[in-house]
Amino acid sequence: MKLATVAFYGVALGLLAAGLRELLTGFEENRCSMTYMFEYPEYRRVALPRRVARLYPAYGLYLYGEGIYAQETRALKLTGAPVLFLPGNAGSYKQARSLGSVALRKAENIEGNVHFNVFTVDFNEELVALYGGSLLRQTHFLHESIKAILRLYKHLKSPPHSVVLVGHSMGGVVARALFTLPRFNTSLVSLIITQASPHLAPVLALDPYLLDFYSSVRHKWVKQANKLRNITVLSIGGGYRDYQVRSGLTSLPCPSADPNKLSLVATAVPRTWVSTDHLSIVWCKELVLATVRAFFDLINPETRQFTDSPEKKMDVLNHHFTRHPVRIVGETQDSPISISDVPEAWSEVNTLRLAYSTPKEGQVKYFMFALSSRRKAYSHFYCRSSNMEMTSWVYGCTHKNGSSCTHAVDLSMGTELLPPYKVLILSLSDLSAVTHLVVMASNLNGRQYMVECEWQRQESQTLSVPVPHVLSFGLTVSDVTVNSSGLLHAIELQHFHQVYQAFRITVASQCKVHKDRLPNVYRIMVPWFREDTLTTASVPSVTEISGMLHTSRPDNTSSVLLQIHTAPNCQYKVSLRTSLPRVLGQILRFCGPMVPVYTAVTLLLACGGQLSSILKSKRAADMSGVVGKGLQLHKVNLPVFILHILLGPSVSRDCGTLRLRTQLLLSLCLTVMGGTCCGALSVFAAFLLHFYRVPRKHKEAENGTVDAECLNRSKECNGAPLLSECAVQEVRDDLQLHLCLSALLTLPVMLSAPSLLHWIRNLRYSTQLDPDPYWPLIVPLVTAYVLLINCNTLKLSNSKLLPLTSCLPLPLAITMVIFSPLHLYRVTYFLLLTLAPLALCCLL
């Protein structure tokens, strides 16, 4: 039985290790390019009103600058468009240098003196993701900073009336919280871009202030969505490399009908296509460039400030962050376009497919496809080009003269940029006014590239395959073979819609004829969230793709698609296996916050086992034994499941004990310290007092010795000698009891650590933590800690309260699992409901 137990725990630890390894290392390498400063960065502090400086002494506002620009702005006479960067949890205001430096360098090549003034806020690197007491203070300071920034432009004839906010991590949440302030003018901010910000919920809810803050922000943006429709918000998640804030949490909680809110993952951003970790999303060059390009396109050329039009802002953001067509939507050319009428430049294509490589010599070249004979047999026209210049290249001919087209409309606006080429898919049903399609393949600069086009029947190029069950452990395979007679195929992955599913997708390509071909692109498309991942592969090759989701499907109307941009006349075999390590990684990614809860439940059940053992045999059970029994979580999970359905350092005997008067004095001192300084400090001090006894008792148990006071009291052991085995056994029993208690008492200390760290970091500004999430708990928690110093098995076995106290751990564990997974701070409340009666058992 013992061997089976060891084997069970060994397997459990192995699965946990495999899941942790997958969570922390099971992703692509960091493919982000670093941003560099060409000159030494400078941060010019912006003076704030005395009232603001007095209220927020730990915070500051700075203007980023380099070289000549930093010298020109010393007097803070600014003429650019204001952008304000907000750091996140423990973030530095100096993280704005990537955005500021790239914006500064790009402005050097822009005509019209268009540039940006990048400001950054110093939030004193506070741990606001773990301690929510500072979030409202940061929000108020942000409001004051925005007003101070806009005052710097009063000397201009057309000063800016709003500031663009870029928030990293919790900085993005603080940016949205601005609109909850009663005196905030919503016109001061018209655009917010957030990077890896957990908008849906906090990663860990360690205190009620954090949840109250989120609740007020959600209420404002969801319940009063109509009032905030003109506020444009873009939220970017980092992908699987970011294990601190999973990308599902970065989705904006807003009505689906709101057109001015956009949530996506960095892997789906054109010209980026990479996953970023929680910090690199700030300096990832590909993402910073997309942001800065969008900023320049948002500038109104007349005022040289950001546009006020919500439609224009969304057009620009969609252009740079979703599809990246040839032009921004608002710049579409509606009038017919004149095309070259040189007969030698035109070729009519009568085959089903075109494959063309431009020569080294520069030339003008157009290919024309007649629509009349293709409308009934085909539904779409597909074309791709390795010429990555985002210019117009596909037209619809409206007037044909001989072998050439003289007038046409631009159809290139649907172009989508992929890593190796640009792609355009046209629906023939939308081209009723067009007689021919024209594809431009000119290379006047002599640059060589390839163009491939074909007519398609989309329904015949879409296949489906059911994914293996998540419990198949990779032993079963689902596969499908694509005999590629076309350039694009789609495979519907049936029943793939839950976050705990994870697959190893293998795509093997084989071609009969070896020749130069455009590379394959394998794209996992998730219809309900912009979390697409793209993989580029050569032909032929064997490529492995990770199939996982950031969010579960909200309804039953859509399925995940594997889109394959293929080479013609090649065969592709797609195989899917369940990946157990990735499944374990997904479970930890989404259920990780429940680990502290189940740890508390295990220790609580172990404590209950100790009390039951003392009640029955007046002996404390072995610590490893009661912890093993505490891991029998079926005792907890079954009642929890049913309720969800229904509801939707110790001392031995009296050796080295503290007198009651001393205990009460210690409790009073610690309570006063907690009320005037920090509640978590009192809890930590009380824990140290209790924990101090454990090493001492451990030494006594190992040496078989007890101190003099204990020896005098060991005569209670049926008249046994002073150094009898009974006396030593009593010490060992108490050691087991206090090992269990120490493990249980450690949890409140760990959960209160963020507020303690916050208090220590801000000691130079204030000696009292305000607000303090632990002040209501100081008296009962500290008193219980101090009273438990004198706890021993003899006192507990003689206590009249022990039968009742021993019944509490199991129902409290069940209640904890129900109400604490999303509110971790409640774990302390439930532990206190066990510790307080246990402390009374030491007195009564």
Side-chain angles (χ1 to χ4, degrees):
M1 185 65 182
K2 196 170 184 179
L3 181 61
T5 303
V6 171
F8 172 79
Y9 291 133
V11 172
L13 288 174
L15 292 176
L16 177 62
L20 283 173
R21 182 180 182 277
E22 178 65 28
L23 176 67
L24 300 178
T25 64
F27 39 70
E28 65 181 27
E29 63 180 8
N30 193 346
R31 294 189 288 118
C32 278
S33 303
M34 176 66 77
T35 49
Y36 295 97
M37 284 85 253
F38 291 90
E39 297 178 273
Y40 190 79
E42 297 184 29
Y43 302 89
R44 178 76 52 198
R45 190 173 185 112
V46 178
L48 299 171
R50 290 185 179 179
R51 177 186 61 85
V52 177
R54 185 173 61 254
L55 285 174
Y56 312 101
Y59 300 160
L61 176 64
Y62 296 84
L63 172 67
Y64 178 84
E66 294 179 18
I68 298 176
Y69 169 78
Q71 298 177 7
E72 293 175 346
T73 56
R74 286 184 186 275
L76 295 178
K77 297 293 184 181
L78 308 177
T79 58
V83 177
L84 178 57
F85 175 80
L86 310 176
N89 177 60
S92 169
Y93 67 96
K94 294 183 179 180
Q95 289 175 304
R97 59 182 176 269
S98 296
L99 179 65
S101 182
V102 172
L104 187 61
R105 294 302 160 217
K106 191 168 179 62
E108 294 176 352
N109 303 319
I110 301 294
E111 298 180 357
N113 195 26
V114 176
H115 65 283
F116 302 100
N117 303 128
V118 178
F119 297 85
T120 178
V121 171
D122 179 12
F123 282 140
N124 196 32
E125 300 184 14
E126 293 176 336
L127 299 171
V128 287
L130 305 177
Y131 169 69
S134 292
L135 285 169
L136 191 58
R137 187 183 300 115
Q138 288 189 0
T139 307
H140 282 287
F141 181 77
L142 175 58
H143 184 198
E144 298 294 340
S145 298
I146 292 173
K147 292 189 290 186
I149 289 172
L150 294 178
R151 283 195 293 267
L152 299 176
Y153 296 87
K154 284 189 174 181
H155 64 282
L156 299 179
K157 293 182 179 180
S158 300
H161 302 291
S162 64
V163 176
V164 169
L165 301 182
V166 179
H168 172 239
S169 186
M170 291 300 293
V173 181
V174 171
R176 293 176 62 241
L178 268 175
F179 297 85
T180 65
L181 301 180
R183 297 184 179 179
F184 178 70
N185 182 357
T186 57
S187 65
L188 296 181
V189 175
S190 59
L191 173 62
I192 301 174
I193 296 179
T194 67
Q195 303 167 334
S197 299
H199 294 295
L200 278 182
V203 177
L204 293 174
L206 295 181
D207 62 56
Y209 306 120
L210 198 60
L211 287 174
D212 291 343
F213 185 82
Y214 266 85
S215 177
S216 63
V217 174
R218 173 183 285 271
H219 181 272
K220 183 69 177 181
W221 286 85
V222 175
K223 301 298 182 180
Q224 303 182 29
N226 291 332
K227 297 181 180 179
L228 302 175
R229 287 178 67 89
N230 290 334
I231 309 301
T232 305
V233 185
L234 168 65
S235 175
I236 308 171
Y240 291 109
R241 283 191 60 85
D242 189 349
Y243 53 82
Q244 297 184 43
V245 177
R246 57 182 177 86
S247 295
L249 291 178
T250 64
S251 177
L252 292 167
C254 59
S256 57
D258 192 338
N260 296 320
K261 309 298 182 291
L262 180 61
S263 304
L264 47 83
V265 181
T267 54
V269 176
R271 295 191 180 185
T272 302
W273 299 303
V274 296
S275 177
T276 66
D277 60 51
H278 196 61
L279 293 179
S280 66
I281 195 171
V282 176
W283 53 257
C284 181
K285 184 177 180 180
E286 290 79 3
L287 203 54
V288 173
L289 283 172
T291 304
V292 173
R293 292 187 189 111
F295 282 169
F296 278 98
D297 287 340
L298 286 169
I299 293 295
N300 184 332
E302 296 180 359
T303 62
R304 290 187 295 185
Q305 297 295 330
F306 288 104
T307 179
D308 294 326
S309 169
E311 294 78 13
K312 174 69 173 180
K313 285 182 284 190
M314 284 308 302
D315 289 343
V316 170
L317 294 180
N318 279 311
H319 175 85
H320 289 282
F321 290 93
T322 59
R323 293 188 65 87
H324 207 294
V326 296
R327 285 189 307 277
I328 298 172
V329 175
E331 300 175 357
T332 304
Q333 297 180 3
D334 297 325
S335 57
I337 303 170
S338 298
I339 304 180
S340 172
D341 56 356
V342 180
E344 294 78 11
W346 291 86
S347 297
E348 187 162 356
V349 180
N350 297 314
T351 57
L352 297 180
R353 183 181 300 116
L354 166 70
Y356 176 75
S357 297
T358 59
K360 294 181 179 180
E361 299 79 15
Q363 67 172 12
V364 178
K365 191 67 178 178
Y366 295 92
F367 293 97
M368 189 159 51
F369 300 78
L371 275 167
S372 57
S373 60
R374 307 294 184 184
R375 293 186 186 274
K376 292 183 179 180
Y378 299 95
S379 61
H380 290 78
F381 179 78
Y382 173 95
C383 202
R384 64 192 183 197
S385 171
S386 58
N387 179 11
M388 302 297 279
E389 294 180 3
M390 297 308 289
T391 55
S392 298
W393 63 297
V394 178
Y395 305 89
C397 184
T398 57
H399 187 271
K400 184 172 178 290
N401 183 14
S403 61
S404 62
C405 179
T406 55
H407 291 84
V409 293
D410 189 358
L411 301 178
S412 307
M413 286 305 300
T415 301
E416 186 172 17
L417 196 62
L418 300 181
Y421 39 69
K422 57 187 178 184
V423 171
L424 178 63
I425 304 175
L426 297 173
S427 174
L428 302 190
S429 60
D430 298 332
L431 304 176
S432 57
V434 174
T435 61
H436 293 74
L437 294 177
V438 178
V439 177
M440 183 178 71
S442 303
N443 66 329
L444 297 178
N445 54 7
R447 180 181 301 173
Q448 291 183 287
Y449 60 90
M450 294 181 66
V451 177
E452 293 181 337
C453 304
E454 71 172 7
W455 302 99
Q456 291 185 343
R457 286 189 297 269
Q458 201 167 69
E459 62 278 1
S460 65
Q461 293 175 295
T462 302
L463 305 173
S464 62
V465 58
V467 298
H469 195 275
V470 70
L471 296 180
S472 64
F473 303 113
L475 300 178
T476 60
V477 184
S478 296
D479 54 34
V480 61
T481 300
V482 178
N483 292 311
S484 175
S485 58
L487 302 177
L488 176 67
H489 292 82
I491 301 175
E492 181 182 352
L493 306 181
Q494 296 177 345
H495 316 304
F496 181 22
H497 48 73
Q498 296 295 336
V499 293
Y500 58 78
Q501 295 175 293
F503 303 101
R504 190 171 70 249
I505 305 173
T506 304
V507 183
S509 60
Q510 294 181 347
C511 302
K512 295 180 180 179
V513 179
H514 296 281
K515 61 180 181 179
D516 292 337
R517 304 172 186 269
L518 290 176
N520 298 323
V521 175
Y522 309 136
R523 179 181 189 177
I524 295 180
M525 301 180 65
V526 182
W528 56 85
F529 188 48
R530 292 182 178 88
E531 54 176 284
D532 297 5
T533 56
L534 293 91
T535 304
T536 303
S538 59
V539 186
S541 64
V542 177
T543 306
E544 184 174 301
I545 308 170
S546 177
M548 299 187 294
L549 297 175
H550 293 291
T551 56
S552 293
R553 184 176 64 182
D555 50 48
N556 296 322
T557 59
S558 52
S559 298
V560 175
L561 288 177
L562 174 60
Q563 190 183 71
I564 306 178
H565 296 263
T566 59
N569 303 318
C570 295
Q571 186 182 74
Y572 293 80
K573 184 176 182 180
V574 181
S575 304
L576 293 91
R577 293 177 182 267
T578 295
S579 174
L580 181 59
R582 289 170 185 167
V583 169
L584 296 173
Q586 285 290 84
I587 292 174
L588 286 179
R589 180 176 283 110
F590 285 85
C591 302
M594 297 186 68
V595 172
V597 177
Y598 276 97
T599 302
V601 166
T602 301
L603 294 177
L604 199 58
L605 293 178
C607 182
Q610 288 279 25
L611 297 180
S612 298
S613 176
I614 295 172
L615 180 64
K616 293 177 182 179
S617 63
K618 296 189 178 183
R619 293 280 300 276
D622 183 71
M623 179 64 177
S624 60
V626 293
V627 171
K629 292 181 179 179
L631 286 172
Q632 298 174 3
L633 297 180
H634 60 275
K635 299 178 181 178
V636 175
N637 287 338
L638 182 59
V640 168
F641 179 71
I642 295 173
L643 285 174
H644 273 303
I645 294 177
L646 295 176
L647 300 174
S650 304
V651 295
S652 63
R653 294 296 175 262
D654 291 322
C655 307
T657 59
L658 300 175
R659 294 182 178 181
L660 181 60
R661 185 188 309 171
T662 305
Q663 289 178 310
L664 294 177
L665 182 60
L666 274 174
S667 301
L668 179 61
C669 293
L670 292 175
T671 300
V672 172
M673 181 175 67
T676 56
C677 297
C678 174
L681 178 64
S682 297
V683 174
F684 183 63
F687 171 76
L688 290 179
L689 285 173
H690 183 277
F691 188 73
Y692 168 72
R693 306 273 179 171
V694 175
R696 177 182 172 183
K697 190 50 56 187
H698 180 68
K699 182 178 180 180
E700 291 175 356
E702 283 191 343
N703 297 336
T705 61
V706 292
D707 58 31
E709 185 178 358
C710 184
L711 289 175
N712 293 330
R713 299 186 181 186
S714 66
K715 296 177 181 179
E716 298 175 4
C717 296
N718 301 319
L722 292 181
L723 290 176
S724 67
E725 179 63 27
C726 178
V728 176
Q729 183 61 45
E730 290 171 354
V731 176
R732 291 172 178 166
D733 287 347
D734 291 345
L735 174 63
Q736 297 298 326
L737 172 64
H738 279 273
L739 283 175
C740 182
L741 289 177
S742 296
L744 200 62
L745 298 176
T746 302
L747 289 172
V749 175
M750 295 175 64
L751 293 173
S752 65
S755 60
L756 178 61
L757 292 175
H758 178 84
W759 174 76
I760 293 173
R761 290 174 59 88
N762 288 272
L763 266 177
R764 56 176 174 167
Y765 305 111
S766 175
T767 58
Q768 184 176 13
L769 181 64
D770 183 28
D772 189 343
Y774 273 79
W775 75 263
L777 304 175
I778 294 174
V779 175
L781 200 57
V782 167
T783 303
Y785 272 49
V786 175
L787 289 178
L788 288 174
I789 292 176
N790 285 356
C791 186
N792 59 55
T793 53
L794 179 62
K795 284 186 176 182
L796 288 180
S797 62
N798 295 329
S799 174
K800 298 178 180 180
L801 295 178
L802 183 61
L804 176 61
T805 304
S806 63
C807 297
L808 291 177
L810 181 58
L812 287 175
I814 295 171
T815 311
M816 188 188 301
V817 174
I818 296 174
F819 294 105
S820 296
L822 299 180
H823 307 77
L824 289 181
Y825 64 92
R826 292 178 179 172
V827 170
T828 303
Y829 300 164
F830 291 111
L831 293 179
L832 184 57
L833 292 177
T834 299
L835 295 175
L838 187 59
L840 290 177
C841 288
C842 298
L843 298 176
L844 303 176

